[in-house]
Amino acid sequence: CGDIIGSGIFASPGVVLDYSGSILGAIFAWILGGLVSIVGVLLIIELGTARPSAGGLYTYLALAFGDAVAFSWQYVNFVCIVPGSLAALALTFGCYFSELLNSGGDLGGGAGMQEKLLGWAALLLVTG
């Protein structure tokens, strides 16, 4: 989930600025989000060194909450979270790359067909 927090600064800086009310508030929000991400990474590192086994987060959730919770997390992660994250990153790339090509990318609103196709092509290029 850290990739969404990290890419959010490129996808929605105006929204954060609107809700925070000031530039300092927006910077504080991004720093706070970065600190939360760092804490999450440090927790995963700690779990990995304490219980080094294959399976990643599934293994830790199964140990803490049982197999049903771990399976549910893995299923939702596979079906929703990772594809949604990749789609958001691809659309953000498509909007910015379209703007770079100076072909009318709209960074403030919804993505047009060209931005979607550029994001889709980049996603195919990166993932094979």
Side-chain angles (χ1 to χ4, degrees):
C1 295
D3 53 341
I4 291 299
I5 291 173
S7 66
I9 197 165
F10 301 112
S12 58
V15 174
V16 174
L17 187 58
D18 287 343
Y19 279 105
S20 64
S22 69
I23 293 175
L24 288 177
I27 291 172
F28 176 75
W30 289 119
I31 290 172
L32 185 63
L35 290 174
V36 169
S37 293
I38 289 171
V39 168
V41 168
L42 292 174
L43 289 171
I44 295 296
I45 290 170
E46 181 67 27
L47 285 170
T49 55
R51 289 218 175 248
S53 61
L57 201 53
Y58 176 88
T59 303
Y60 311 133
L61 288 173
L63 285 170
F65 304 109
D67 287 332
V69 170
F71 175 79
S72 297
W73 161 255
Q74 196 63 28
Y75 180 78
V76 169
N77 192 45
F78 179 75
V79 173
C80 300
I81 296 172
V82 172
S85 172
L86 289 174
L89 291 170
L91 271 176
T92 302
F93 172 81
C95 288
Y96 275 94
F97 195 70
S98 180
E99 190 67 23
L100 180 69
L101 296 175
N102 199 12
S103 56
D106 183 15
L107 298 177
M113 184 57 71
Q114 180 177 1
E115 290 84 5
K116 291 176 184 176
L117 289 174
L118 283 169
W120 181 76
L123 192 59
L124 280 179
L125 182 69
V126 171
T127 60

